[in-house]
Amino acid sequence: MPVIQTPAEFNVSDLYVDLRRCLGVPLYLKCEGFNFAGSVKLKAASAMVRDAEERGLLRPGDTIVESSSGNLGVALSVIAAARGYRFVCVTDPRCNLATRRLVKALGGEVRVVDRPHDEGGFLAARIALVRSLADSGERMVWLNQYANPGNWRAHHATTAEEIARQFPGVDVVFVGAGTTGTLMGCARFFRSFHRPVTVVGVDSVGSVTFGGPPSRRTIPGLGAGVRPPLLDERWIDDVVMVPEAETLRFCHRLVRGGFLFGGSTGTVVAGAARWLAEHDPQDRMTAVAISPDLGERYLDTVYHDHWLREVHPGVLDDVVRDGMPRETGIPAV
């Protein structure tokens, strides 16, 4: 058994779910939610904090401030608590209540912007508040996950290399697009791999990341109202856009098999299933998708009847028709 001294030292990075039995999809799902931050964001948070310290940008007594829809906020709360920094997380109403409570429990401060900007939506409003805090002269350091190269470098050095080690014959990798740190790290790594690997970005309909029109999105995690500065589409081979209703249906299909994953995972798996059905009908490819987090933080949204009824009633009808036990939508034991 491992013995650790800091939370960042523990991160299960070699767990994969074969989705053929659960979903009938020839896809290996890389599970990144088994660490003390509960998501893949622990890798980027650790790398960006370490880099800021090494460059003298972050010093004892400073406060880290960052915009986050949820998971990076929790990850930075974990790192800040372990390394003795204060942390301010700027988020918006879409952030799950459980996530906000986690940040606070870890000693962080949560500030919620309640009005989206006319251009750029809630993300633009969050970034504007973060900039004002960082410019206040109160020793607040903005790591800027949207433009910080430490974000993608963390996944180039870890996430992509882990996939390559486990699946040296991998043909296609599916990565969700939020800040695009995970996507760009994997895309850059596999571009120089010893054999051709197709890297597919998966995004939510309503996100402007890949040039689509903005529209309302209710599930935090993937997607953006402002094009991420880290994104360089030259490294990406294909993109799949997934409507939120499809995301939710796949989340509930997964949970029927006992796998409680977050909304971002539902999006990535939905996009991968659609792409594979079109491009690999004979199931000859070795395909891997990245699951950013688990589903406990989504019990009040993705897996809750009242939320589904208000936001996506058609999905709730489908779940009922498929025979899911009612309450949270989680199968009874």
Side-chain angles (χ1 to χ4, degrees):
M1 294 181 64
V3 177
I4 66 172
Q5 293 183 320
T6 65
E9 294 176 49
F10 176 77
N11 190 17
V12 176
S13 59
D14 57 355
L15 178 63
Y16 296 79
V17 177
D18 185 341
L19 292 180
R20 282 173 291 192
R21 179 177 179 180
C22 178
L23 297 183
V25 177
L27 181 68
Y28 296 101
L29 188 62
K30 187 181 195 306
C31 302
E32 289 282 354
F34 293 99
N35 56 57
F36 282 99
S39 80
V40 70
K41 292 291 189 177
L42 184 64
K43 293 175 174 177
S46 299
M48 291 189 296
V49 168
R50 186 171 56 250
D51 176 69
E53 290 174 336
E54 291 173 353
R55 292 196 291 145
L57 301 177
L58 188 59
R59 297 165 294 174
D62 285 349
T63 297
I64 299 170
V65 58
E66 186 59 81
S67 158
S68 172
S69 61
N71 283 337
L72 185 75
V74 175
L76 283 174
S77 297
V78 169
I79 300 300
R83 301 182 77 84
Y85 300 111
R86 291 181 59 245
F87 173 59
V88 177
C89 178
V90 177
T91 189
D92 62 62
R94 294 173 300 182
C95 180
N96 297 317
L97 179 60
T99 299
R100 289 184 238 173
R101 287 174 172 169
L102 271 171
V103 172
K104 291 180 180 179
L106 288 159
E109 177 186 346
V110 178
R111 300 197 187 186
V112 181
V113 298
D114 55 6
R115 295 183 62 183
H117 280 191
D118 292 338
E119 292 187 9
F122 279 116
L123 177 56
R126 284 173 10 210
I127 290 175
L129 177 54
V130 170
R131 279 202 175 104
S132 69
L133 292 172
D135 293 340
S136 66
E138 297 182 14
R139 296 183 64 180
M140 288 192 172
V141 178
W142 180 25
L143 299 175
N144 193 359
Q145 63 164 328
Y146 309 102
N148 191 324
N151 189 343
W152 71 260
R153 287 171 183 160
H155 299 289
H156 186 281
T158 59
T159 310
E161 195 277 333
E162 291 156 6
I163 293 172
R165 183 171 63 246
Q166 184 72 26
F167 298 97
V170 64
D171 296 298
V172 56
V173 176
F174 299 93
V175 190
T179 65
T180 69
T182 310
L183 176 59
M184 295 311 303
C186 290
R188 282 181 163 91
F189 179 94
F190 285 110
R191 183 61 63 87
S192 60
F193 199 47
H194 68 88
R195 59 190 300 278
V197 177
T198 298
V199 175
V200 180
V202 183
D203 199 11
S204 302
V205 170
S207 166
V208 305
T209 296
F210 295 101
S215 63
R216 180 172 179 254
R217 293 176 292 111
T218 61
I219 303 173
L222 301 186
V226 178
R227 180 181 168 90
L230 288 177
L231 178 63
D232 185 342
E233 294 180 73
R234 295 173 298 178
W235 298 91
I236 303 167
D237 298 295
D238 205 352
V239 174
V240 180
M241 302 298 295
V242 177
E244 282 197 345
E246 195 173 343
T247 288
L248 294 166
R249 291 187 180 96
F250 268 84
C251 284
H252 284 271
R253 287 182 63 188
L254 285 163
V255 87
R256 284 204 299 274
F259 294 110
L260 184 67
F261 286 110
S264 297
T265 299
T267 303
V268 173
V269 173
R274 192 199 309 165
W275 193 94
L276 289 169
E278 179 180 350
H279 294 87
D280 186 32
Q282 303 302 318
D283 296 350
R284 294 174 179 171
M285 293 184 178
T286 297
V288 177
I290 297 173
S291 165
D293 63 359
L294 302 180
E296 290 92 341
R297 297 172 193 173
Y298 301 82
L299 295 180
D300 292 329
T301 53
V302 170
Y303 299 103
H304 199 285
D305 282 5
H306 295 301
W307 185 87
L308 286 173
R309 187 174 292 111
E310 290 180 4
V311 180
H312 289 283
V315 174
L316 180 60
D317 292 341
D318 292 344
V319 172
V320 171
R321 187 165 52 250
D322 289 343
M324 292 287 291
R326 305 318 321 136
E327 290 297 334
T328 61
I330 301 174
V333 177

